[in-house]
Amino acid sequence: MVPLGWAGGTVGLILTGAISLYANTLIARLHEVGGKRHIRYRDLAGHIYGKRMYFITWALQFLNLFMFNTGYLILAGQALKAVYVLYRDDGALKLPYCIAIAGVVSALFAFGIPHLSALRIWLGFSTFFTLIYVIAALVLSIKDGTNASARDYSIPGSKMNRIFGIIGSMGTLVSLGNTGILPEIQATLRPPAIRNMEKALRLQFTAGMLPLYAVAFTGYWAYGSSTSIYLLNSVNGPVWVLTLANIAAFLQTIVSLHIFASPMYEYIDTRYGMDKGNAFSFHSLLFRVGVRGGYLAINTLVAALLPFLGDFMSLIGAFCSFPVTFVLANHMYLTAKKSKISVPQRAWHWLNVVGFSCLAVASAVAALRFIVLHSKTYNVFADL
């Protein structure tokens, strides 16, 4: 909302939700192409394009998930630091330390959750934590906005920065509603998997997105262009409410991070035979500690090194979400269904492929520009 303003932000959020629903629906309908279920995104790409594209897709997907996890660790670190500042604003506990703590907690959680299906009960907790955050952010933002004087809603920065900010925000918007692991999630649904996934997508991109949009609009209304990237840094209210909301945000990121790391864990477990037998045997636990601990250590180092959450969100969308979710989705559907769709439909999908490819390049340039600029402004391991 800040780099786009009221008109651009509102249109961007609504349009991104609609496009994301469409692109994810295309992927969901390719779940049973060729008479077999494709339970991994890379398997689907490999079936349609061949072995080389299998590896290219896996590389893109891995990068997408790695960047998501980096963003989650930054967010978790900011939530922890916000709790500390509520009680002792002495600067002793810096953001990189908080990110490191978040990395350790994430690793401990990953050691105890052997596979994605084991997250069932934790997804309920994740929803509960999200509701706590949403309710606290909405109530406190409305209170602050009602009592505040006139706010500035102008788009900040120079003309050049505003242009790049608008371009870069497209990557952020795209990353909001896309996971890049839809086939992996669809594989956990009971039959008919395609119909059930379509129902889930429609629910998610309507009722599921409303609370998140409400937080974005209310936060921007209450604080204008001075709104913090992490909204709870802007709100005022009882210390216990802010503590509860920040802890809920921290715990929710731990669960969400594991979802996006699961395809990588599953690949390693399958590759080295750790997916069979007792998941909590000493050997299996030791394997998870070594592999998952090492993966999250690298993730944590990158997050602490460059903790620019907004820029990373833009980079995720540009490098990963655009190609994986939009470009590939349209091209795979076009390739798999080319004999069953009309000429206008083929033209529409090709327009999407070309258009989203151009947007991905432009958004990547903008995101990298801001990361370079912020890297000059702040030192590595910055305490933002």
Side-chain angles (χ1 to χ4, degrees):
M1 295 296 292
V2 172
L4 293 175
W6 273 118
T10 303
V11 172
L13 282 170
I14 295 174
L15 187 60
T16 301
I19 295 173
S20 298
L21 172 60
Y22 175 74
N24 281 282
T25 300
L26 291 181
I27 298 172
R29 290 175 179 174
L30 295 174
H31 188 63
E32 297 177 358
V33 169
K36 66 177 289 190
R37 295 182 67 188
H38 302 281
I39 62 174
R40 303 177 186 88
Y41 203 112
R42 59 187 183 274
D43 291 341
L44 175 61
H47 174 80
I48 293 175
Y49 300 117
K51 190 173 183 179
R52 179 179 296 179
M53 198 61 191
Y54 170 94
F55 291 109
I56 293 175
T57 303
W58 178 218
L60 282 174
Q61 188 186 29
F62 171 76
L63 181 61
N64 186 39
L65 301 177
F66 183 87
M67 296 298 290
F68 263 116
N69 292 336
T70 301
Y72 273 121
L73 286 169
I74 295 171
L75 179 58
Q78 288 186 328
L80 275 183
K81 184 183 176 183
V83 173
Y84 182 81
V85 169
L86 288 172
Y87 296 92
R88 290 187 60 183
D89 192 9
D90 56 7
L93 187 63
K94 301 183 183 301
L95 180 59
Y97 305 155
C98 294
I99 292 175
I101 294 171
V104 171
V105 176
S106 298
L108 292 174
F109 185 78
F111 301 158
I113 307 295
H115 44 75
L116 190 59
S117 297
L119 271 176
R120 284 193 181 96
I121 187 172
W122 291 103
L123 293 178
F125 282 112
S126 177
T127 303
F128 176 69
F129 296 143
T130 301
L131 287 175
I132 291 176
Y133 171 86
V134 167
I135 292 171
L138 281 176
V139 172
L140 296 179
S141 294
I142 291 172
K143 180 181 69 68
D144 287 348
T146 303
N147 297 328
S149 57
R151 276 82 74 189
D152 180 15
Y153 295 113
S154 61
I155 300 176
S158 63
K159 184 177 180 180
M160 182 62 69
N161 281 340
R162 288 199 299 269
I163 293 173
F164 276 101
I166 291 171
I167 296 172
S169 65
M170 292 186 297
T172 304
L173 289 171
V174 165
S175 66
L176 290 177
N178 299 281
T179 65
I181 56 172
L182 189 85
E184 286 83 350
I185 296 173
Q186 194 169 2
T188 66
L189 298 181
R190 62 175 177 266
I194 294 177
R195 185 184 303 170
N196 287 333
M197 178 53 77
E198 288 182 349
K199 289 179 181 178
L201 287 171
R202 287 193 292 269
L203 180 64
Q204 172 58 33
F205 283 99
T206 51
M209 295 293 278
L210 285 179
L212 306 183
Y213 283 4
V215 169
F217 292 137
T218 304
Y220 187 62
W221 165 77
Y223 309 106
S225 57
S226 63
T227 307
S228 171
I229 291 176
Y230 179 55
L231 182 59
L232 291 182
N233 284 338
S234 296
V235 303
N236 300 289
V239 171
W240 72 269
V241 175
L242 292 173
T243 301
L244 181 63
N246 279 298
I247 291 175
F250 172 78
L251 294 174
Q252 200 278 340
T253 59
I254 300 302
V255 180
S256 297
L257 184 151
H258 188 79
I259 294 173
F260 290 101
S262 289
M264 184 61 183
Y265 299 156
E266 181 270 337
Y267 170 76
I268 296 174
D269 291 347
T270 303
R271 179 75 178 268
Y272 296 101
M274 293 294 116
D275 59 333
K276 298 179 177 64
N278 185 1
F280 293 99
S281 67
F282 177 77
H283 184 255
S284 295
L285 279 172
L286 187 63
F287 180 82
R288 288 203 294 275
V289 169
V291 173
R292 299 186 183 188
Y295 174 79
L296 287 170
I298 297 172
N299 244 162
T300 303
L301 178 62
V302 173
L305 191 68
L306 294 172
F308 314 125
L309 181 60
D311 298 339
F312 264 107
M313 290 296 288
S314 297
L315 197 63
I316 290 168
F319 270 130
C320 311
S321 297
F322 266 122
V324 171
T325 308
F326 292 116
V327 178
L328 266 181
N330 278 275
H331 196 271
M332 284 194 298
Y333 192 83
L334 182 69
T335 304
K337 305 284 188 178
K338 58 184 177 181
S339 61
K340 300 178 181 179
I341 57 178
S342 64
V343 173
Q345 286 178 313
R346 286 199 292 271
W348 164 251
H349 288 297
W350 272 116
L351 179 64
N352 286 333
V353 169
V354 175
F356 287 124
S357 297
C358 294
L359 287 175
V361 173
S363 187
V365 171
L368 288 171
R369 178 181 182 272
F370 279 115
I371 287 178
V372 170
L373 288 176
H374 289 160
S375 298
K376 293 178 180 178
T377 304
Y378 302 105
N379 295 321
V380 294
F381 300 107
D383 182 32
L384 303 181

